[in-house]
Amino acid sequence: MSVNRASRLLGLPQRTLNRQLNEDGNVSMELICALQRYFPELSIDWIVSGEGSMYKTHAPDEVALPYYDTLSVSAGVRDVVDGAPEVPTGYISIPNAKADFLFPVKGTSMQPEINPGDIVGVKIIDTLQALDCRKIYMIVTREERMIKRCCSHPDNPELLLCTSPNYPDFTLRKEDILSLYEVTLKICEV
């Protein structure tokens, strides 16, 4: 993460952050509090002393998941994937979570099951062989990230059939998929 990006994320002046990191090496309490606020999974002991584990230890059933508030994922609204590295907005601890990360949904194609503003958690899928048409997936291509149901096309093994309740079905070439995630968790917007 660049100092400029960290400065914006943490709400600290870039000059102050540069000085603390590159010149005097003294880290302010303001920086420690900002780090704790945006990265609650980091151990304060490690931040202050550099000793021990970098991450807090959690109860065995509790996981701190990265949350990406600005991740462009569409459920009906086409968003371009710009290739810029994504930085978590923060972390959310959820007992028994089976997800790699969380983000809010935009668009309406998966309504009423997933609505705009709902937060979903996803887990990476390492094969396209056993997709289940009853499950919802996040599909990442060079052009977009989208949430759809998908399964192998019945007539062409090189294609996926993508469906959603509010838009026409379409096909997607398997070779165009950069990554695929199963939606494993949904938190409804209140």
Side-chain angles (χ1 to χ4, degrees):
M1 178 184 311
S2 70
V3 174
N4 183 29
R5 172 88 169 130
S7 167
R8 286 182 287 151
L9 180 68
L10 298 173
L12 298 172
Q14 184 175 348
R15 183 176 180 187
T16 301
L17 199 52
N18 265 325
R19 189 183 73 250
Q20 289 180 26
L21 294 174
N22 299 322
E23 294 174 19
D24 63 19
N26 293 322
V27 178
S28 70
M29 185 56 101
E30 181 182 23
L31 176 57
I32 292 170
C33 289
L35 287 169
Q36 186 62 33
R37 185 171 47 254
Y38 287 98
F39 304 104
E41 78 287 0
L42 292 178
S43 163
I44 288 291
D45 292 336
W46 179 81
I47 292 171
V48 172
S49 69
E51 295 178 13
S53 175
M54 179 176 170
Y55 298 100
K56 291 180 183 177
T57 56
H58 295 281
D61 63 343
E62 187 175 328
V63 178
L65 298 172
Y67 174 68
Y68 296 87
D69 188 38
T70 59
L71 186 66
S72 295
V73 178
S74 169
V77 178
R78 184 177 172 91
D79 286 322
V80 175
V81 178
D82 62 9
E86 301 289 348
V87 177
T89 308
Y91 291 79
I92 299 174
S93 292
I94 300 175
N96 300 314
K98 303 283 189 255
D100 295 326
F101 59 91
L102 306 164
F103 58 88
V105 173
K106 302 174 186 174
T108 60
S109 73
M110 293 307 296
Q111 279 184 311
E113 194 167 353
I114 297 179
N115 298 297
D118 287 352
I119 295 172
V120 296
V122 295
K123 186 108 179 122
I124 191 142
I125 302 291
D126 57 4
T127 180
L128 297 175
Q129 304 305 339
L131 296 179
D132 184 340
C133 289
R134 296 168 296 184
K135 294 181 179 180
I136 299 173
Y137 298 93
M138 178 176 80
I139 306 159
V140 180
T141 68
R142 284 181 177 73
E143 290 80 34
E144 61 188 319
R145 297 181 188 106
M146 62 190 129
I147 297 176
K148 304 287 179 208
R149 293 188 192 285
C150 60
C151 57
S152 293
H153 193 280
D155 300 324
N156 186 338
E158 302 300 316
L159 298 176
L160 286 183
L161 178 62
C162 300
T163 65
S164 61
N166 300 311
Y167 286 90
D169 295 353
F170 65 94
T171 58
L172 186 62
R173 293 185 343 213
K174 289 181 178 179
E175 67 186 37
D176 292 338
I177 297 173
L178 300 177
S179 54
L180 185 70
Y181 299 82
E182 181 184 341
V183 174
T184 57
L185 175 70
K186 180 181 82 165
I187 303 168
C188 296
E189 182 180 45
V190 181

